[in-house]
Amino acid sequence: MALKIVKGSIDRMFDKNLQDLVRGIRNHKEDEAKYISTCIDEIKQELKQDNIAVKANAVCKLTYLQMLGYDVSWAAFNIVEVMSSSKFTYKRIGYLAASQCFHESTDVIMLTTNQIRKDLSSPNQYDTGVALTGLSCFVTPDLARDLANDIMTLMSHTKPYIRKKAVLIMYKVFLKYPESLRPAFPRLKEKLEDPDPGVQSAAVNVICELARRNPKNYLSLAPLFFKLMTSSTNNWVLIKIIKLFGALTPLEPRLGKKLIEPLTNLIHSTSAMSLLYECVNTVIAVLISLSSGMPNHSASIQLCVQKLRILIEDSDQNLKYLGLLAMSKILKTHPKSVQSHKDLILQCLDDKDESIRLRALDLLYGMVSKKNLMEIVKKLMLHVDKAEGTTYRDELLTKIIDICSQSNYQYITNFEWYISILVELTRLEGTRHGHLIASQMLDVAIRVKAIRIFAVAQMATLLDNAHLLTGNMQRNGICEVLYAAAWICGEFSEHLENPMQTLEAMLRPKVATLPGHIQAVYVQNAAKLFATVLKSQEGNTEGTPAQETSQLMVERLPLFVQSANLEVQERASCILQLVKYIQKLQQKDVEVAEEVSALFAGELNPVAPKAQKKVPVPEGLDLDAWINEPPSESESEDEQPKAIFTREEPKHSRPRHTEVDEKELAKRREVRKQEQANNPFYIKASPSSQKVYQETHGVEHIPVVQIDLSVPLKVPGLPMSDQYVKLEEERRQKDRADKKKKKKEKRKDKRTGRGKRHDSGPESEEDITPAHMVDIVTEEMPENALPSDDDDKDPNDPHKALDIDLDKPLADSEKLPVRSHRAAEALKSPGEDGDAVSAATLEPRKKRSKEKREEKKKDKDGDRKKSKEEKKKKKHKHEEKEENLLSGQADEPVVQSEESSQVAAPPTSTSAEVSDLDFWLSNAPVPSNTQEAATVAAAAEAASVPEAVSGTAPDSEPEEPKDAEMEETKSSKHKKKKQKKEKEEKEKKKKKKHHHHHRHSDAGGEESVQNGTVEEEEPLPSMSNYCLLAENSYIKMVYDIQGNLQDGSQVVVSVIFENKCDSFLKSMEFNVLDSLNSKLQRPEGSGPHDGLTVPFQLPPGVSNEARFVFTMQSIVMPQKLKGTLTFIVKNDDSSTHEKLDFKLHFTCTSYLISTPCYSDAFAKLLESGDLKSSSIKLEAVLMPFHHLLARICFHHHFSVVERIDSCASMYSRTIQGHHVCLLVKTADQTVSIDAKCDEPTLLGNVLDEIKQTFSQC
Amino acid sequence: MSKFYEHYSEDTEQQIIRETFHLVSKRDENVCNFLEGGLLIGGSDYKLIYRHYATLYFVFCVDSSESELGILDLIQVFVETLDKCFENVCELDLIFHVDKVHNILAEMVMGGMVLETNMNEIIMQVDAQNKMEKSEAGIAGAPARAVSAVKNMNLPEMPRNINIGDISIKVPNLPSFK
């Protein structure tokens, strides 16, 4: 034996070990790939040997190769072998390899379950440790489920080394197997007070991580954490806890108030910068949550800002960065206190570190004022010139625009300056933000009347020098600016000094190289300019220059007519014809200028972005109704799944946009009015734009109902803005003299085009709203509608599953799965014990701290000694609260959060702690309990049972009444809960009914297939022919195959792709390995192995259907085709190629097409004698006969010819014209099917498939 | 060397590492040690936190539940631990003993969460495990070790010019290094 070992190790000498491999790779820099492939071959050889040492060595090398980016998943099984070695050395290698390359889709993982379990219970703590470490990297839902209990046991292992690992890995288990959270939680909580600091910190770590995702479930732990925070000295733990509090405070403002003091103390006392920083951060979070006016906190703000200033002034760049980061958080709520540090922040702008500069830029936003805006922007402009990286420059550019345009150009005193800044910015090379500049130009030019002359002049220059911008414009977006320039010059052409020159500039041949949408604007505005030019030239009475201008247009426009861009082409040819016509008129010496310019007359008003929403839906218009019923293919087939979705989805989305209730809107309007009143640049102030509205005698006088629209609005296909425009048009038309009627048509077009682009001012909205507001129907939200933030959550987020109420008592069903031979009790009791223990350990400490605090607070709380007084206070507070409630929604979040914390507290032993939380927090001025609490307080006084045990509230003086109070709240909560449950149940029932109804209708559809008598029969269960094709974590494919009647050799495969992940799926390619008999039809010119591109991309959660045509030679046999789907998974910032293999199963059924057949024709067919017959018997078919028929019809594409009692004849035809006839009889759960067909093989297969269908159900 | 705590395909991992190296290596010496994830995996919640030691970069990718300065400290602890375990660590140690580095890291970070920050504790555990390994190897290991020593002697001039190519990037990823 020993000899064998020695021999083995001698063999080993000649193998490469990891070091040799590394050395080898380093020596083969040039042909690394080749060298590695030979190494992999060697490794494969080594893996084949029996010697575990050799294998381990090979696996070790593979681990290294994996890190270099080689796929080693082929060796997964060998890794498992090495993992199961009894020697720690090899085991460790195996687990390391596994942790590096196993993941959820590794199939050998399930083989490891028992091995891991064995290792976990190994007497050697390092075996256990290494297994835990490995498991933490590759735990799967299955493993988590199977091993949860073992890990739970390890959490109370005697060795702290194992305990801390077990505690930490529980987080991973929770993620994969959320059901384990509740049973394991009591023990986890217990570990918060583990004597070993490592275990304690691990527990803190896990709970912080859990709480970060679903903070509200962990509010009840706040007192415990608070105690840890005040007692712990481990900075790492402190940081975690403080971060956790940062997440909790937004939910519970009272908590924040409690925290401020200890946090400030920490800030003053700690020397660790990291701790200091986190404290400041949490204080900021607290302040934000309290931002509703707590004047006495200005001291803490000052403290924070001061400390941050120290950080920023520090020479350590890291501190500087973090300081700025935190500063920007303060900026949101307390801009004033930050403003005083402007000097410092400006200084940071000059820092050589880009990250720091970016942070400083963020802060600048809040620093500007009317006085210093120009100065700051000037500085930024300097930076723009100096900046080397494009990203930073782009960032600067957006920031400049942001700063200038913030709160409606509040700080801009000189718009000429702003325009010239914008023009200067256009000289930036390679920026991506051309459209941003463009929209700013348009916005300013439209909204600030006084600036138009200046703007037009500037834009004309820009157009003149367009070639400067066009240098490398195709690549970057700066040419977007020309879009704005052209439009401004055209629209406000009356301000142009030299319109002719601009017109020429716009018609230069080089323009044709611009992107299409810009060209379109060029063409349109050239026409506008042309009108202006004509007007000025005709004034001179000499016809020639005017004619020359027309000539110029006629010469240049054909260039655009040839454009590949449809929009350009269309506009250009329209205008070209117009100009030609004008030319004709000119030759006859007719004055045309007036009429031409009338085409473009009319003032443009900016349309508010929200205006669209305000348009009421006219009575009788159902936006959810189909215009045309969706085409249903062959009645019964895939209509079912579709119909369900299309009908329901609109209902979901509908309430969303009506969410804003009237009150809110009214409030917003008020605010807006205020804003407008204060805004000097608001166009409404300028006389001309008001003119239009002055004519209307108060829009309010026109009730919407009376508007009879010339165009009926029942055109759901029309975009909403059109409706709005029409409405507006209509309204104005009424009040205006009808002299302008002629122009209307033209203007309307123009408006719809532009309104969308220049939606900037709230101005017109103001005018609209009074008329429309009245009509907005506030749709009631469904009763149990949650605040919308729940909707934002990503359904795929693994953390969502962990949103579990931890305070509910454990139900019996909630045990962790235990291997059968183990006693299930062993599990149940530790959970309960844990609770008891934690409570017990809690008490003494809490008491101590309570006493201390009491002493401290005595003088403060002197007036609260008597519970009567307390009660009064409460009542008073309660009244206050009611007032608050009435006064507005601002307070609502607070109330909600309280409610939620209460709801989270059901009546159990654990719930005591939740209520404790309320006590614990109750010294804060916000009342903690609702009415019951207050009223019961008196009764409680009498009953007062001194339950000092549960009086864990460290600093609430009158304990007894509160305990009773707590009980009362408990019971009331209980009631609430019950009610809720009942409600839920009712709703469920309703849903069920609804569902039932649905099915019924489906069944109705099904029954109509039968030619025979229609009876009142049981509804059919819903059916679908779509079956699963393949699935992985990204995508799911289901498919259905149908024959193509038109072409006897084709079948159509409809595949529904469903994106299951939260990334974007694109570039999907569908490919199938053709067989001799069946081929995927590919577009001409592509090779026989090319894939077909799926013609769509899939955003997260979306599914879409694609169809692929296959050509078949013979259809008598079923067959399977192998195929692959490749696609790219695109995240925000990365994309990966993925593929999914599948097998397409062409059953013979899929070649059948349900064809109606009359009974006499059917009889003839049977008599003809050309058909071969065959038959099958189905035993024990329990379903009603009509279900059976419906199933055959649905799944196998037959149609019923005739049905008499328990006997029916059915018919179908293949795509190649084979007839298939069935005679179905039923008696005593036995169904016999006699079939005839002209192709025996086919018939046999079809019958087999039918048999299979029924064996499945 | 790299360590991921979330599954990515090998290609993606390599891409992430390349990108990270690209971002980190072009930064100056005296700038701050944080990089916002942004273009990298995971989005804005993630930060790259790195430290630069001579030719080595230690990069951690962490989400917002981790304290930035805390992680910097953790890197320091990691490096000091390496230093103690390898007795005056140099980059060659890390290159040739990737497995050992992994084992040390495993004692500090588990499944993307910080396990232990106390250096003495870490060293103690690592040493204990190494001792076990040695005792297991026993006689069987001796000849192999001898051979490996011979091999090293045969190559006295192991390449020393390891500059850009060999970075030690550790990317505990995504919900990662929590």
Side-chain angles (χ1 to χ4, degrees):
Chain A
M1 183 68 193
L3 191 73
K4 201 177 166 193
I5 293 172
V6 173
K7 188 173 168 279
S9 37
I10 287 170
D11 285 346
R12 238 181 91 189
M13 290 199 299
F14 303 105
D15 295 334
K16 278 197 197 105
N17 64 12
L18 175 64
Q19 280 78 11
D20 298 327
L21 177 74
V22 176
R23 194 176 301 129
I25 292 174
R26 291 163 66 88
N27 286 339
H28 291 79
K29 278 244 155 68
E30 315 80 45
D31 51 350
E32 194 181 290
K34 200 176 140 208
Y35 178 75
I36 287 177
S37 71
T38 55
C39 286
I40 288 182
D41 287 341
E42 275 172 34
I43 290 170
K44 279 182 180 162
Q45 286 304 318
E46 286 168 32
L47 286 176
K48 280 182 193 146
Q49 292 182 36
D50 281 337
N51 190 329
I52 190 73
V54 178
K55 263 186 200 164
N57 183 38
V59 166
C60 186
K61 286 190 275 181
L62 281 179
T63 313
Y64 183 76
L65 292 179
Q66 195 273 342
M67 276 193 291
L68 293 184
Y70 291 86
D71 179 24
V72 299
S73 52
W74 48 268
F77 186 74
N78 303 100
I79 293 174
V80 176
E81 281 180 314
V82 176
M83 274 163 75
S84 54
S85 154
S86 58
K87 282 200 178 168
F88 174 72
T89 319
Y90 305 142
K91 197 184 283 296
R92 184 153 79 164
I93 291 172
Y95 272 106
L96 176 61
S99 74
Q100 287 288 84
C101 63
F102 280 12
H103 50 90
E104 274 191 28
S105 48
T106 307
D107 38 10
V108 294
I109 267 197
M110 59 187 188
L111 300 177
T112 60
T113 317
N114 271 312
Q115 180 56 42
I116 295 173
R117 182 174 285 143
K118 214 174 94 195
D119 289 337
L120 288 183
S121 50
S122 154
N124 182 343
Q125 63 163 332
Y126 292 112
D127 278 353
T128 316
V130 102
L132 283 173
T133 310
L135 187 61
S136 73
C137 291
F138 58 79
V139 62
T140 65
D142 285 340
L143 280 179
R145 194 190 55 235
D146 295 340
L147 297 172
N149 192 45
D150 302 71
I151 299 172
M152 272 270 282
T153 330
L154 290 180
M155 277 167 77
S156 354
H157 199 272
T158 48
K159 298 249 170 55
Y161 177 73
I162 299 299
R163 280 210 303 274
K164 74 181 175 197
K165 285 197 167 192
V167 167
L168 211 52
I169 203 177
M170 277 320 272
Y171 177 64
K172 290 279 173 177
V173 173
F174 295 152
L175 277 186
K176 300 288 177 190
Y177 180 55
E179 288 87 341
S180 62
L181 177 56
R182 292 193 2 90
F185 195 71
R187 192 173 294 188
L188 186 60
K189 214 159 75 179
E190 179 191 324
K191 293 295 157 223
L192 281 178
E193 302 192 89
D194 195 281
D196 183 85
V199 182
Q200 197 182 33
S201 102
V204 170
N205 225 331
V206 170
I207 292 186
C208 287
E209 208 52 52
L210 288 169
R212 196 166 75 95
R213 310 291 176 163
N214 303 297
K216 71 173 187 303
N217 297 336
Y218 301 87
L219 263 179
S220 61
L221 291 177
L224 187 55
F225 277 120
F226 190 81
K227 190 168 64 75
L228 277 176
M229 182 175 87
T230 42
S231 61
S232 174
T233 49
N234 180 345
N235 277 350
W236 192 268
V237 172
L238 275 178
I239 288 173
K240 279 279 168 192
I241 294 175
I242 288 167
K243 278 206 148 219
L244 173 68
F245 276 133
L248 290 181
T249 42
L251 297 174
E252 182 53 274
R254 289 173 294 166
L255 178 63
K257 291 188 181 138
K258 254 191 113 55
L259 284 172
I260 289 244
E261 196 197 324
L263 283 179
T264 12
N265 287 343
L266 265 177
I267 291 177
H268 280 302
S269 62
T270 187
S271 58
M273 272 301 178
S274 48
L275 187 56
L276 171 76
Y277 172 68
E278 294 305 336
C279 285
V280 170
N281 242 338
T282 301
V283 171
I284 293 167
V286 169
L287 293 175
I288 290 172
S289 77
L290 295 176
S291 57
S292 45
M294 286 292 296
N296 53 337
H297 285 308
S298 60
S300 22
I301 296 168
Q302 277 313 316
L303 178 67
C304 287
V305 176
Q306 244 171 43
K307 287 283 173 186
L308 287 179
R309 184 170 178 117
I310 295 171
L311 286 183
I312 297 173
E313 277 171 342
D314 200 289
S315 61
D316 184 347
Q317 297 282 337
N318 295 329
L319 297 181
K320 192 174 269 190
Y321 172 84
L322 293 174
L324 289 169
L325 196 66
M327 200 68 117
S328 66
K329 286 184 196 153
I330 301 187
L331 182 70
K332 280 174 206 143
T333 45
H334 302 89
K336 285 240 172 69
S337 37
V338 183
Q339 253 157 25
S340 51
H341 300 281
K342 200 184 77 192
D343 53 324
L344 192 61
I345 286 151
L346 285 179
Q347 209 177 307
C348 288
L349 271 186
D350 295 326
D351 201 283
K352 53 187 172 302
D353 187 349
E354 194 174 300
S355 310
I356 288 177
R357 285 197 305 252
L358 284 175
R359 290 287 134 252
L361 268 183
D362 283 347
L363 279 169
L364 263 190
Y365 187 81
M367 310 258 116
V368 287
S369 66
K370 279 185 188 172
K371 271 188 203 152
N372 63 15
L373 174 74
M374 284 166 120
E375 173 201 345
I376 288 179
V377 171
K378 194 177 154 198
K379 196 155 182 185
L380 290 180
M381 290 300 285
L382 271 179
H383 278 285
V384 171
D385 290 338
K386 277 192 289 184
E388 58 284 342
T390 42
T391 21
Y392 179 56
R393 209 161 47 182
D394 280 355
E395 190 64 26
L396 273 171
L397 196 155
T398 39
K399 271 283 139 36
I400 291 176
I401 290 177
D402 270 0
I403 289 171
C404 291
S405 62
Q406 70 173 311
S407 29
N408 234 337
Y409 307 105
Q410 191 187 346
Y411 299 117
I412 296 185
T413 45
N414 184 348
F415 274 95
E416 291 194 8
W417 165 81
Y418 186 44
I419 291 276
S420 38
I421 287 285
L422 288 175
V423 172
E424 262 179 64
L425 286 177
T426 62
R427 292 191 197 127
L428 273 187
E429 255 176 61
T431 179
R432 283 178 292 118
H433 293 294
H435 60 276
L436 194 65
I437 303 177
S439 67
Q440 281 293 305
M441 285 175 170
L442 289 170
D443 198 30
V444 173
I446 295 168
R447 291 172 63 190
V448 188
K449 268 219 128 177
I451 202 67
R452 283 183 191 163
I453 300 177
F454 180 78
V456 165
Q458 290 286 318
M459 294 305 126
T461 334
L462 258 186
L463 282 180
D464 253 353
N465 301 320
H467 56 279
L468 291 178
L469 298 172
T470 51
N472 44 3
M473 64 176 173
Q474 293 301 352
R475 267 178 293 122
N476 55 56
I478 202 70
C479 55
E480 291 287 333
V481 173
L482 294 176
Y483 175 101
W487 189 85
I488 292 172
C489 286
E491 187 61 26
F492 308 118
S493 49
E494 68 269 20
H495 300 304
L496 271 178
E497 263 180 34
N498 193 349
M500 193 59 204
Q501 189 190 342
T502 312
L503 181 63
E504 263 177 77
M506 279 168 84
L507 292 172
R508 277 180 206 144
K510 225 183 162 194
V511 172
T513 58
L514 287 167
H517 64 285
I518 298 177
Q519 281 186 57
V521 171
Y522 262 73
V523 172
Q524 187 73 17
N525 287 289
K528 287 186 210 163
L529 269 178
F530 174 61
T532 322
V533 174
L534 274 190
K535 214 171 168 186
S536 63
Q537 286 172 339
E538 275 189 3
N540 298 341
T541 62
E542 271 179 72
T544 40
Q547 283 183 20
E548 273 167 24
T549 319
S550 310
Q551 190 55 38
L552 177 78
M553 290 288 276
V554 173
E555 274 168 20
R556 296 284 174 84
L557 278 175
L559 179 72
F560 296 103
V561 177
Q562 291 161 7
S563 166
N565 186 300
L566 270 185
E567 183 74 19
V568 181
Q569 210 180 66
E570 192 180 348
R571 288 192 193 195
S573 40
C574 264
I575 290 165
L576 183 61
Q577 289 313 313
L578 184 74
V579 175
K580 278 183 182 161
Y581 181 66
I582 291 168
Q583 226 177 359
K584 258 188 223 159
L585 288 179
Q586 278 175 334
Q587 277 155 10
K588 291 181 201 154
D589 277 342
V590 186
E591 295 250 322
V592 284
E594 266 307 310
E595 278 177 54
V596 174
S597 52
L599 283 177
F600 304 107
E603 182 74 25
L604 245 167
N605 288 309
V607 178
K610 283 175 201 144
Q612 235 185 38
K613 212 165 72 183
K614 306 263 164 95
V615 181
V617 178
E619 234 174 284
L621 169 64
D622 183 3
L623 289 175
D624 297 331
W626 289 100
I627 305 169
N628 297 311
E629 280 303 316
S632 57
E633 295 145 83
S634 66
E635 296 266 66
S636 63
E637 279 172 355
D638 51 355
E639 202 193 3
Q640 281 169 332
K642 266 188 199 163
I644 288 167
F645 288 123
T646 41
R647 260 176 232 151
E648 275 176 11
E649 239 144 8
K651 276 177 207 154
H652 291 312
S653 58
R654 210 167 145 203
R656 212 165 280 162
H657 52 84
T658 44
E659 247 171 351
V660 203
D661 60 349
E662 217 139 348
K663 213 171 157 192
E664 249 275 278
L665 285 175
K667 221 167 99 190
R668 283 196 209 157
R669 229 178 322 147
E670 207 46 50
V671 173
R672 211 176 299 126
K673 263 186 193 160
Q674 207 82 47
E675 206 177 73
Q676 283 160 5
N678 297 335
N679 182 0
F681 309 118
Y682 193 61
I683 329 175
K684 206 178 170 185
S686 65
S688 60
S689 73
Q690 229 176 4
K691 209 162 32 190
V692 180
Y693 296 99
Q694 278 167 348
E695 285 162 15
T696 68
H697 320 277
V699 216
E700 294 94 320
H701 297 289
I702 315 154
V704 174
V705 199
Q706 285 177 11
I707 296 178
D708 53 338
L709 300 168
S710 52
V711 188
L713 278 181
K714 291 181 189 176
V715 196
L718 212 64
M720 286 291 262
S721 69
D722 284 8
Q723 293 181 7
Y724 163 67
V725 171
K726 273 183 199 149
L727 217 69
E728 178 75 356
E729 201 84 42
E730 212 63 43
R731 188 140 40 99
R732 285 190 201 165
Q733 191 190 8
K734 270 196 165 180
D735 298 290
R736 234 184 281 154
D738 44 356
K739 59 183 175 185
K740 285 186 182 173
K741 239 179 188 172
K742 268 189 272 171
K743 306 165 196 166
K744 205 183 74 183
E745 274 306 300
K746 269 278 145 85
R747 237 188 23 219
K748 206 196 304 179
D749 288 349
K750 238 165 55 181
R751 249 158 230 255
T752 49
R754 287 175 209 164
K756 279 183 223 156
R757 291 198 296 267
H758 319 309
D759 46 1
S760 39
E763 179 243 14
S764 56
E765 188 181 4
E766 186 52 32
D767 293 296
I768 303 158
T769 38
H772 297 320
M773 267 306 295
V774 197
D775 258 34
I776 289 182
V777 194
T778 43
E779 211 169 307
E780 275 185 27
M781 291 290 280
E783 260 180 291
N784 51 351
L786 293 164
S788 56
D789 30 323
D790 274 9
D791 304 333
D792 307 338
K793 279 193 184 167
D794 178 2
N796 290 327
D797 185 1
H799 303 287
K800 204 185 176 188
L802 288 181
D803 192 356
I804 295 169
D805 185 357
L806 295 163
D807 300 318
K808 263 192 253 161
L810 287 182
D812 284 346
S813 58
E814 285 189 293
K815 284 174 210 156
L816 290 177
V818 193
R819 273 181 300 168
S820 51
H821 61 268
R822 217 178 263 190
E825 277 172 342
L827 167 73
K828 203 177 161 188
S829 51
E832 285 163 4
D833 283 358
D835 226 6
V837 171
S838 75
T841 47
L842 268 174
E843 282 155 26
R845 290 200 204 175
K846 278 193 174 162
K847 255 191 191 166
R848 239 181 291 134
S849 68
K850 181 188 76 194
E851 277 161 19
K852 265 190 223 158
R853 287 188 162 250
E854 264 174 22
E855 273 171 25
K856 234 201 281 174
K857 294 226 168 183
K858 239 175 195 168
D859 39 353
K860 255 195 212 168
D861 292 350
D863 54 331
R864 291 212 289 169
K865 262 178 187 162
K866 283 181 185 171
S867 49
K868 266 189 189 173
E869 276 176 26
E870 164 82 7
K871 188 186 78 187
K872 268 187 202 165
K873 255 194 182 170
K874 282 238 156 134
K875 269 191 178 160
H876 180 63
K877 279 172 202 161
H878 182 67
E879 278 162 17
E880 265 181 12
K881 197 174 158 188
E882 271 186 342
E883 277 171 17
N884 284 348
L885 264 176
L886 289 173
S887 70
Q889 298 122 317
D891 293 340
E892 235 168 43
V894 178
V895 179
Q896 267 175 3
S897 76
E898 262 168 44
E899 270 170 8
S900 70
S901 73
Q902 284 178 6
V903 170
T908 54
S909 60
T910 41
S911 80
E913 252 163 70
V914 180
S915 316
D916 285 348
L917 175 69
D918 278 342
F919 301 153
W920 184 66
L921 293 165
S922 61
N923 66 336
V926 187
S928 59
N929 280 316
T930 39
Q931 203 165 13
E932 294 109 323
T935 48
V936 173
E941 201 186 343
S944 65
V945 188
E947 281 184 51
V949 176
S950 58
T952 35
D955 41 10
S956 62
E957 277 244 337
E959 281 170 15
E960 297 104 305
K962 277 188 178 167
D963 278 314
E965 190 183 283
M966 171 188 78
E967 262 160 36
E968 177 60 25
T969 43
K970 259 194 259 167
S971 66
S972 71
K973 279 168 215 159
H974 191 61
K975 270 183 218 157
K976 267 189 209 163
K977 262 230 139 142
K978 260 197 177 166
Q979 283 170 355
K980 231 187 175 179
K981 260 194 185 164
E982 275 169 21
K983 236 186 231 170
E984 275 170 14
E985 264 168 29
K986 268 186 200 166
E987 272 165 17
K988 264 187 198 165
K989 273 183 196 165
K990 263 189 208 166
K991 267 186 197 166
K992 266 188 191 163
K993 270 185 195 165
H994 186 69
H995 194 63
H996 203 73
H997 184 73
H998 247 291
R999 278 203 226 155
H1000 208 81
S1001 63
D1002 287 345
E1006 218 51 62
E1007 271 162 8
S1008 67
V1009 179
Q1010 299 174 351
N1011 295 353
T1013 51
V1014 181
E1015 298 163 354
E1016 271 292 313
E1017 279 171 315
E1018 271 183 71
L1020 281 163
S1022 57
M1023 294 185 277
S1024 164
N1025 262 343
Y1026 280 91
C1027 45
L1028 185 69
L1029 181 56
E1031 183 172 17
N1032 65 9
S1033 56
Y1034 297 106
I1035 195 168
K1036 180 181 175 182
M1037 296 194 282
V1038 292
Y1039 76 112
D1040 180 30
I1041 305 176
Q1042 281 156 24
N1044 185 348
L1045 250 188
Q1046 274 80 44
D1047 190 329
S1049 61
Q1050 282 187 353
V1051 287
V1052 180
V1053 178
S1054 323
V1055 184
I1056 299 181
F1057 298 89
E1058 185 191 347
N1059 184 348
K1060 284 169 61 193
C1061 60
D1062 45 7
S1063 323
F1064 213 81
L1065 300 185
K1066 55 176 220 173
S1067 307
M1068 290 190 279
E1069 269 200 16
F1070 181 92
N1071 200 5
V1072 168
L1073 269 179
D1074 291 345
S1075 70
L1076 279 177
N1077 187 33
S1078 34
K1079 289 187 171 54
L1080 172 63
Q1081 288 228 323
R1082 297 178 165 87
E1084 276 178 52
S1086 56
H1089 304 296
D1090 293 352
L1092 279 186
T1093 313
V1094 179
F1096 46 78
Q1097 305 184 337
L1098 286 180
V1102 170
S1103 57
N1104 204 343
E1105 181 168 350
R1107 285 160 189 251
F1108 305 96
V1109 178
F1110 285 80
T1111 322
M1112 297 294 174
Q1113 303 248 305
S1114 155
I1115 58 163
V1116 298
M1117 298 275 279
Q1119 51 188 319
K1120 284 183 181 169
L1121 288 186
K1122 272 191 195 170
T1124 324
L1125 180 81
T1126 55
F1127 53 94
I1128 294 175
V1129 182
K1130 182 142 176 58
N1131 283 325
D1132 290 346
D1133 32 42
S1134 70
S1135 57
T1136 46
H1137 276 278
E1138 293 289 340
K1139 73 171 201 171
L1140 178 59
D1141 293 327
F1142 57 82
K1143 254 186 196 167
L1144 261 179
H1145 190 191
F1146 290 93
T1147 56
C1148 284
T1149 294
S1150 49
Y1151 307 127
L1152 294 181
I1153 293 170
S1154 107
T1155 324
C1157 181
Y1158 293 106
S1159 49
D1160 44 353
F1162 188 72
K1164 240 181 224 167
L1165 197 65
L1166 288 179
E1167 283 163 14
S1168 68
D1170 304 335
L1171 308 180
K1172 319 276 183 302
S1173 69
S1174 169
S1175 68
I1176 51 163
K1177 262 208 167 81
L1178 304 171
E1179 302 285 347
V1181 177
L1182 295 173
M1183 64 180 76
F1185 190 54
H1186 75 281
H1187 279 196
L1188 179 109
L1189 294 185
R1191 269 182 188 278
I1192 297 178
C1193 289
F1194 182 73
H1195 291 299
H1196 299 284
H1197 311 167
F1198 277 87
S1199 60
V1200 176
V1201 181
E1202 211 169 6
R1203 176 181 163 189
I1204 305 154
D1205 295 334
S1206 58
C1207 183
S1209 48
M1210 305 179 91
Y1211 174 77
S1212 183
R1213 226 167 61 125
T1214 67
I1215 47 174
Q1216 294 181 355
H1218 305 286
H1219 304 283
V1220 186
C1221 308
L1222 300 182
L1223 185 66
V1224 187
K1225 281 181 275 188
T1226 177
D1228 296 339
Q1229 300 185 359
T1230 312
V1231 178
S1232 67
I1233 301 178
D1234 296 309
K1236 285 193 171 183
C1237 175
D1238 40 12
E1239 180 58 62
T1241 338
L1242 176 73
L1243 184 62
N1245 288 323
V1246 170
L1247 288 179
D1248 283 348
E1249 281 159 21
I1250 292 178
K1251 206 170 178 176
Q1252 210 183 352
T1253 309
F1254 288 98
S1255 67
Q1256 277 164 4
C1257 51
Chain B
M1 99 156 221
S2 65
K3 176 84 189 169
F4 285 76
Y5 293 100
E6 289 270 303
H7 175 66
Y8 292 97
S9 74
E10 276 78 10
D11 290 343
T12 330
E13 287 184 3
Q14 290 307 307
Q15 194 190 338
I16 291 170
I17 293 177
R18 269 196 304 275
E19 226 171 287
T20 309
F21 177 66
H22 187 70
L23 280 176
V24 169
S25 63
K26 69 174 185 213
R27 289 178 66 84
D28 284 341
E29 193 55 31
N30 46 5
V31 297
C32 76
N33 294 346
F34 314 115
L35 273 170
E36 267 145 275
L39 299 167
L40 214 75
I41 18 67
S44 57
D45 198 27
Y46 296 90
K47 275 205 180 84
L48 291 179
I49 298 175
Y50 71 95
R51 261 178 191 265
H52 188 185
Y53 295 91
T55 54
L56 293 175
Y57 285 96
F58 291 84
V59 186
F60 279 54
C61 173
V62 302
D63 64 16
S64 61
S65 73
E66 223 53 54
S67 153
E68 291 88 346
L69 295 170
I71 295 300
L72 279 181
D73 287 350
L74 187 77
I75 298 178
Q76 184 62 33
V77 171
F78 183 45
V79 174
E80 282 178 30
T81 312
L82 287 176
D83 198 45
K84 290 239 167 92
C85 291
F86 284 105
E87 286 154 19
N88 226 337
V89 69
C90 75
E91 59 188 50
L92 287 177
D93 290 325
L94 305 188
I95 290 163
F96 286 103
H97 301 279
V98 182
D99 46 345
K100 285 185 189 153
V101 182
H102 264 297
N103 292 336
I104 294 168
L105 182 66
E107 294 302 321
M108 295 181 64
V109 179
M110 194 178 103
M113 293 195 280
V114 179
L115 179 68
E116 184 59 71
T117 48
N118 181 344
M119 198 176 11
N120 296 330
E121 173 75 16
I122 299 166
I123 292 172
M124 203 181 80
Q125 304 296 355
V126 170
D127 283 349
Q129 292 180 48
N130 288 342
K131 228 175 252 167
M132 248 178 76
E133 204 163 40
K134 265 183 199 153
S135 71
E136 269 180 4
I139 21 158
R145 276 208 301 279
V147 170
S148 134
V150 171
K151 279 181 189 164
N152 278 348
M153 281 192 326
N154 288 345
L155 287 166
E157 16 66 272
M158 278 191 293
R160 302 251 159 202
N161 55 338
I162 335 108
N163 298 329
I164 320 119
D166 294 298
I167 12 110
S168 157
I169 291 187
K170 211 158 299 135
V171 193
N173 249 314
L174 278 183
S176 81
F177 193 97
K178 278 140 205 212

